[in-house]
Amino acid sequence: MRILKFAFLLFFLSYDLSADIRLPQLIGDNMVLQRDQPVKIWGWAGPKEKVTVTLKNKSYKVVTTSEGKWEIKLPAQPAGSGFEMVLKGKNQIRIKNIAFGDVWLCSGQSNMVINMERVKERFSEDIASANYPDIRNSFIPTTTNLNGPKEDLPESNWKTANSKDVLTMGAVTYFFAKDLYDQYKVPIGIINSSVGGTPIEAWISEGGYKDFVDTQKTIAQNKDTAYVNSLNRRFLSSRKRTSPTTDLGQVELWESEAYQPKGWRNFNIPGYWEDQGLKDLNGVVWFRREFEVPENWLGKPVKLYMGRIVDADEMYVNGKKIGNITYQYPPRRYEIPANLLKAGKNTFVIRVTNQAGKGGFVPDKPYFMTFQDQQIDLKGTWQYRVGQVYEPVNHSKVFRPLVQQNQPTALFNAMIAPVLPMSVKGFIWYQGESNTENPQPYNKLLPALINDWRSLWKDPDAPFLVVQLPNFQDVNYTPAESNMALLREAQNKALTLPNTSVTVTLDLGEWNDIHPLNKKDIGKRLALSARHIAYKEKDVIYSGPRLKSKRISGDKILLTFDGVANGIQSNDGEALRWFAVADYDRKFVWAQAKIVGKDQIELSSEVVKFPKYVRYAWQDNPEGVNFYNSEGLPASPFRTDEEILDESKPWKGKKTAVVLTYDDALHVHLDNVIPALDSLSLKGTFYLTASSEAARNRIEDWRTAAANGHELGNHTVYHPCDATAAGMSWVKPEYDLSKYSLARIQDEIRMCNAFLKSIDGRSKRTFAFTCGHKKVAEGEFIQTLSDEFVAARSVRHEMHALQEQNLFNMDCYSMVGQTGQQMIALVKAAQQSGKLLVFLFHGVGGEHALNVSREAHSELLHYLKAQENEVYIDTMLNVAEHLKNFK
């Protein structure tokens, strides 16, 4: 009976507690609610409980649902602060110091996370003078969820901007909020929901992935708890060491004052140990040096700065540990306690641990200790000794765990979804570094994120401000390809959506730090964007020059720009840097850039006589960019050699499509055709017969062709043709297609597919009927292989419109002796009719009886290149995929 009474009491107490009004983390003291629009107050209580909300002497009532949820929509309120709200149910809650102003949701990765404490040396005056009670910040702790949106955030609260609490505010967001507040004197609320090192995929909702089939599968799989747990178990199992090793420095106490160093070698700090005699070492390296300090330092706390260290470090002074940091990015700022330093020599010891890549001390960072206005330089010659060498890791056998914060929807579910009831003024997005290894998907992911959040907040025009990646990494003084440039380009494509901006930071980065310290100018530039877009100050210049048009005139290119304000300027008075030009071969060289008008730049090069393409600042780190407008805002990187195709339209928005296909004369195609195509950046499809000497003996050449974007198509193993057809007496009896069984042709086609996959590694490709013949003894065979191919090319001199296409019977024009003008006439007919034109070349310049001259072929290619604005030119595979997707 006592047990039953106790259980009843527990039930009663738990029910009573659950009946109390409970508020989400965002609703509390010091909160900012969006002004000038209805705002929602929401929470939880007992089922069917009456809840009253009182604000400004007006009360609003609601009854909770059967699940205990409630929400009240308050009428729009003007800007102001210092208000209280009282909520009554079975309990009473009083919320103090409420402000009505503008709320900005700020998200992304570590550069959005980095707080004012991290940049306190650079912006000490801003911190000391921070006294803005109407700037409020709510920082969301990291949390994830793979199973779906959560209702509430982890424990968090609103803080006002004062010299103490401002240290926890994101640096970019504080300077952004301060500029807006100084401009409008309206309370500014920042909800900072960001996590370092995370990809954009984690921040999009499941509904935002409606057009991403593969991602939808991943999301569904990640909801299976057993699957996720099995991945983590496999990871832990794969990490088991067979023979653990020990750090000798910890055994022998190398940090202690009593230790007598033996066998230590010289090392110059700053620098990486791989550059100073330690090859490919992952493990633990100890460093030591003795310093004498001024007498007036004794008995006083001394600040010590050790730049940045890769990866982790422990710092010792005179045998005592004064601090440690466990990963590479934070600056090493330690304090030597009072009474630890002594007269005479003081021993400094650093234990550095590195797991991968170069370990050591990042150059071009501060290395010194200081007291009052005195400094001692810590750079120079130290001694080192290796304490532990990690066993080489066979990464093929190490199973990667499922890192939840990197999974699609995981951060949206836990850190964005609970914010949805909160009305906001707009969004700021500062992310991209984690997607630079594979930047191409970002072209679709960023618009998906923007559209997703706007849709969920039911505001299709909500301001969305994007911070572009800054300059970073080593400077490359030759034109180069760059993943960071590709990702910046993808960020720029956000500008195609309404009410968006991209803040250029190409001049604010640091070559040796993925987390540049100058967050103040980033915040100020974001505030300019907000003033123009969100606050409708249309006269505010918020971006640098943007390319408007390009005109080629002989050996020069004239570029015209928008966004120049009162004119293009070189901010250092020198010639504009980082412009490159190229001919059709896309071999870029540096160009001379000359300002020839308020909004125009003329480019030329002694090397490229007929320039066609331009790139600007197309580098990881175009250090020292000097192309600005008169308002001191830099131009964004750009290029003109990328085609912008509209996947939603026939022929990707162009009038027609042309496919160049090549059979049989494979040596000639490798030697004559592919160089001609590559020189104009055109792509072709080459149908290989696996038994051909030119296919078997030049595999590396074909592999290179495939890597350059050309398609390797299937022409079977032995090129069988129907010997019974007219004019086919040359066909060898053993390769008479009419005598083939269905099984034989299937086997030979699959064998050729395997051969081709061994060259290019691809599974998708197209097939070409040999001699255009389609039947074996049992009848037509291609339908039985529809799973093996995307399309099949036939031979019949016809063109067809997009909707008329039969993917497994795509017609082509076989070229035999045509002139360039005759082939161009076919292209013009396709341009007029909007139909697909497929060319078939057996030989180009020899090696086959069915041949066209190299000159005629070249004339056709140059016409096609000149018509790229109207003609979609691609491989048979890519055009077939387009047809398939469009249908």
Side-chain angles (χ1 to χ4, degrees):
M1 181 62 71
R2 285 198 301 271
I3 293 173
L4 286 173
K5 287 181 179 179
F6 182 67
F8 178 78
L9 179 61
L10 281 179
F11 173 79
F12 177 79
L13 287 174
S14 63
Y15 180 84
D16 190 55
L17 287 172
S18 68
D20 284 350
I21 297 174
R22 182 168 62 86
L23 295 173
Q25 296 295 323
L26 284 173
I27 305 296
D29 293 347
N30 303 316
M31 69 177 174
V32 182
L33 298 175
Q34 182 58 44
R35 62 171 172 146
D36 299 334
Q37 60 176 276
V39 295
K40 190 182 296 182
I41 304 296
W42 73 102
W44 303 269
K48 304 301 180 182
E49 183 174 339
K50 294 179 181 179
V51 177
T52 301
V53 176
T54 302
L55 173 72
K56 296 182 179 180
N57 298 319
K58 292 185 179 180
S59 295
Y60 310 87
K61 297 182 179 181
V62 70
V63 177
T64 66
T65 67
S66 57
E67 292 82 25
K69 298 179 181 180
W70 61 269
E71 65 177 52
I72 291 177
K73 186 168 284 189
L74 303 179
Q77 303 289 326
S81 60
F83 303 106
E84 288 194 356
M85 181 184 295
V86 177
L87 301 98
K88 290 184 179 179
K90 291 188 176 181
N91 61 322
Q92 178 174 303
I93 299 174
R94 184 179 298 273
I95 303 175
K96 301 175 182 178
N97 195 27
I98 299 169
F100 287 92
D102 292 331
V103 181
W104 289 85
L105 176 58
C106 306
S107 187
Q109 57 182 108
S110 53
N111 272 304
M112 184 69 90
V113 174
I114 285 175
N115 55 29
M116 291 293 288
E117 196 281 334
R118 180 80 163 261
V119 297
K120 63 184 180 183
E121 285 83 15
R122 183 164 186 154
F123 300 112
S124 57
E125 291 185 7
D126 293 279
I127 292 169
S129 63
N131 183 22
Y132 291 89
D134 279 348
I135 294 178
R136 322 289 182 78
N137 179 71
S138 178
F139 187 84
I140 311 303
T142 298
T143 182
T144 62
N145 196 295
L146 297 175
N147 296 313
K150 296 181 74 171
E151 287 191 327
D152 201 6
L153 298 164
E155 184 176 349
S156 50
N157 50 56
W158 290 88
K159 293 183 179 180
T160 62
N162 54 63
S163 57
K164 175 187 174 185
D165 290 331
V166 75
L167 293 172
T168 63
M169 288 188 67
V172 166
T173 58
Y174 172 67
F175 288 119
F176 168 79
K178 180 178 178 297
D179 265 32
L180 291 186
Y181 182 80
D182 288 343
Q183 184 70 27
Y184 302 112
K185 297 299 186 287
V186 169
I188 302 295
I190 300 294
I191 302 172
N192 192 327
S193 186
S194 313
V195 180
T198 54
I200 189 173
E201 289 89 338
W203 296 99
I204 301 172
S205 78
E206 184 170 353
Y209 283 113
K210 60 181 180 295
D211 296 325
F212 297 77
V213 176
D214 291 341
T215 306
Q216 290 175 15
K217 294 176 182 176
T218 300
I219 293 168
Q221 195 172 42
N222 286 344
K223 291 180 181 179
D224 183 347
T225 304
Y227 165 76
V228 173
N229 290 339
S230 71
L231 294 182
N232 293 330
R233 284 195 299 271
R234 289 174 65 185
F235 167 68
L236 292 174
S237 175
S238 72
R239 293 189 64 193
K240 291 180 179 177
R241 292 182 178 272
T242 55
S243 54
T245 58
T246 302
D247 179 0
L248 185 61
Q250 290 182 319
V251 174
E252 297 183 356
L253 303 179
W254 290 353
E255 78 279 9
S256 72
E257 289 190 280
Y259 171 73
Q260 296 297 314
K262 297 178 182 177
W264 290 61
R265 303 176 66 181
N266 288 344
F267 186 92
N268 193 57
I269 289 179
Y272 299 105
W273 62 59
E274 277 84 354
D275 298 330
Q276 299 192 42
L278 292 173
K279 183 179 180 180
D280 299 332
L281 172 68
N282 294 322
V284 180
V285 182
W286 294 69
F287 300 85
R288 64 182 289 123
R289 185 175 172 182
E290 293 180 338
F291 292 92
E292 293 190 9
V293 299
E295 187 175 342
N296 66 317
W297 288 25
L298 303 181
K300 306 293 194 305
V302 172
K303 291 183 178 180
L304 184 149
Y305 297 86
M306 281 305 295
R308 273 185 50 227
I309 298 175
V310 182
D311 286 321
D313 69 289
E314 298 172 18
M315 187 76 200
Y316 299 87
V317 175
N318 293 332
K320 303 295 183 182
K321 183 175 178 179
I322 65 168
N324 73 287
I325 291 179
T326 58
Y327 64 112
Q328 64 170 294
Y329 293 118
R332 271 46 177 185
R333 302 180 306 200
Y334 298 122
E335 184 172 285
I336 304 174
N339 302 316
L340 184 53
L341 292 174
K342 60 186 180 181
K345 293 181 178 180
N346 294 266
T347 304
F348 289 66
V349 175
I350 312 172
R351 179 179 183 264
V352 179
T353 304
N354 186 55
Q355 301 286 346
K358 287 187 172 185
F361 302 82
V362 176
D364 201 20
K365 291 290 179 181
Y367 294 85
F368 65 93
M369 55 180 165
T370 182
F371 174 71
Q372 294 180 346
D373 59 348
Q374 296 175 297
Q375 286 188 6
I376 294 177
D377 191 356
L378 300 179
K379 297 191 296 294
T381 303
W382 291 54
Q383 281 71 48
Y384 79 89
R385 188 176 175 188
V386 176
Q388 182 179 2
V389 178
Y390 293 157
E391 292 182 10
V393 177
N394 184 344
H395 292 284
S396 65
K397 294 184 179 179
V398 175
F399 192 83
R400 295 185 181 275
L402 188 142
V403 180
Q404 291 203 15
Q405 69 179 34
N406 294 341
Q407 294 299 304
T409 75
L411 294 175
F412 172 87
N413 288 339
M415 297 179 66
I416 300 295
V419 185
L420 281 171
M422 177 75 78
S423 298
V424 298
K425 181 74 170 180
F427 309 99
I428 303 177
W429 178 250
Y430 191 173
Q431 188 278 338
E433 294 89 344
S434 292
N435 288 87
T436 53
E437 287 189 9
N438 183 23
Q440 190 61 36
Y442 214 87
N443 288 284
K444 293 183 178 179
L445 289 167
L446 182 56
L449 174 79
I450 296 171
N451 290 327
D452 183 37
W453 288 14
R454 285 175 166 175
S455 173
L456 291 166
W457 262 273
K458 297 180 173 59
D459 187 353
D461 295 318
F464 203 105
L465 316 181
V466 176
V467 181
Q468 194 180 75
L469 291 186
N471 52 309
F472 176 54
Q473 300 286 16
D474 296 335
V475 179
N476 191 334
Y477 286 97
T478 58
E481 297 302 324
S482 164
N483 275 8
M484 292 195 76
L486 286 169
L487 197 125
R488 293 183 193 115
E489 180 180 66
Q491 290 173 320
N492 271 340
K493 290 179 182 176
L495 294 170
T496 60
L497 299 174
N499 279 6
T500 58
S501 72
V502 174
T503 294
V504 177
T505 63
L506 204 61
D507 55 340
L508 303 179
E510 300 175 26
W511 75 268
N512 58 1
D513 201 333
I514 200 170
H515 302 122
L517 297 180
N518 188 359
K519 297 294 190 271
K520 186 173 186 175
D521 283 335
I522 298 175
K524 291 171 74 68
R525 290 178 186 177
L526 279 167
L528 290 175
S529 294
R531 289 173 60 190
H532 182 90
I533 293 173
Y535 296 91
K536 310 302 181 184
E537 289 192 61
K538 295 307 178 185
D539 292 336
V540 170
I541 305 299
Y542 68 100
S543 78
R546 299 178 301 272
L547 181 65
K548 179 181 179 181
S549 65
K550 177 189 78 171
R551 182 167 63 85
I552 299 173
S553 177
D555 60 352
K556 293 180 174 61
I557 295 181
L558 188 68
L559 304 177
T560 303
F561 293 87
D562 285 328
V564 300
N566 291 325
I568 294 169
Q569 292 186 358
S570 165
N571 77 326
D572 59 7
E574 298 183 6
L576 298 182
R577 293 185 284 271
W578 299 107
F579 281 93
V581 294
D583 202 336
Y584 284 136
D585 59 5
R586 284 183 169 84
K587 294 178 180 177
F588 282 90
V589 301
W590 297 128
Q592 288 78 49
K594 185 169 134 185
I595 301 172
V596 294
K598 174 183 175 180
D599 60 354
Q600 291 186 322
I601 293 174
E602 182 184 83
L603 303 179
S604 61
S605 167
E606 294 181 0
V607 178
V608 180
K609 297 302 181 184
F610 302 101
K612 306 297 180 186
Y613 301 120
V614 178
R615 288 182 176 183
Y616 169 67
W618 198 260
Q619 308 277 116
D620 289 348
N621 183 10
E623 191 174 68
V625 292
N626 61 350
F627 175 22
Y628 286 71
N629 64 15
S630 60
E631 294 295 310
L633 296 173
S636 177
F638 65 85
R639 60 173 173 163
T640 66
D641 57 304
E642 187 224 14
E643 277 197 290
I644 307 299
L645 301 175
D646 188 343
E647 301 285 346
S648 68
K649 294 181 179 178
W651 313 133
K652 301 194 177 184
K654 301 190 178 183
K655 288 185 176 180
T656 186
V658 172
V659 179
L660 302 167
T661 70
Y662 302 86
D663 298 358
D664 298 353
L666 299 181
H667 281 301
V668 167
H669 297 332
L670 277 171
D671 297 333
N672 295 347
V673 172
I674 288 178
L677 291 172
D678 288 345
S679 71
L680 298 174
S681 297
L682 297 174
K683 306 304 176 192
T685 296
F686 297 84
Y687 287 106
L688 274 62
T689 304
S691 61
S692 164
E693 176 189 335
R696 296 193 320 272
N697 295 344
R698 301 186 66 177
I699 285 177
E700 285 305 317
D701 292 332
W702 290 116
R703 187 166 286 138
T704 299
N708 287 339
H710 302 293
E711 180 194 359
L712 306 186
N714 188 316
H715 217 29
T716 77
V717 175
Y718 300 112
H719 197 293
C721 294
D722 186 349
T724 65
M728 304 301 292
S729 58
W730 55 269
V731 177
K732 295 180 180 179
E734 60 268 32
Y735 302 133
D736 182 353
L737 186 64
S738 67
K739 302 296 192 296
Y740 267 53
S741 67
L742 182 61
R744 180 180 175 184
I745 191 65
Q746 290 172 335
D747 286 345
E748 290 187 5
I749 289 172
R750 289 183 174 125
M751 287 169 64
C752 188
N753 265 354
F755 170 72
L756 296 173
K757 187 173 183 179
S758 72
I759 298 174
D760 62 17
R762 298 171 186 170
S763 298
K764 287 185 177 180
R765 65 185 80 250
T766 60
F767 176 75
F769 293 105
T770 47
C771 302
H773 298 160
K774 305 171 184 175
K775 295 181 179 179
V776 292
E778 292 96 328
E780 293 195 1
F781 60 82
I782 192 62
Q783 291 83 358
T784 68
L785 294 161
S786 58
D787 292 340
E788 305 279 340
F789 299 103
V790 177
R793 191 205 66 191
S794 185
V795 181
R796 186 173 55 175
H797 289 197
E798 292 182 7
M799 300 184 209
H800 299 282
L802 186 145
Q803 295 293 354
E804 300 168 349
Q805 294 292 333
N806 178 350
L807 285 175
F808 284 89
N809 192 16
M810 296 178 69
D811 292 315
C812 70
Y813 286 74
S814 178
M815 296 293 99
V816 184
Q818 279 83 358
T819 66
Q821 286 302 310
Q822 287 173 322
M823 292 187 286
I824 289 170
L826 285 172
V827 179
K828 290 179 177 179
Q831 289 173 279
Q832 288 293 322
S833 65
K835 296 179 178 179
L836 171 65
L837 170 60
V838 181
F839 283 102
L840 164 56
F841 298 96
H842 291 88
V844 176
E847 200 183 341
H848 201 283
L850 307 179
N851 182 63
V852 297
S853 70
R854 292 177 65 179
E855 293 75 18
H857 181 259
S858 177
E859 191 176 355
L860 168 67
L861 296 189
H862 280 84
Y863 177 80
L864 288 172
K865 190 66 183 180
Q867 297 296 310
E868 273 190 318
N869 289 338
E870 290 193 357
V871 181
Y872 168 44
I873 307 157
D874 212 336
T875 63
M876 182 69 96
L877 175 63
N878 290 341
V879 169
E881 290 272 35
H882 168 63
L883 289 167
K884 184 178 178 182
N885 292 336
F886 192 84
K887 285 186 176 183

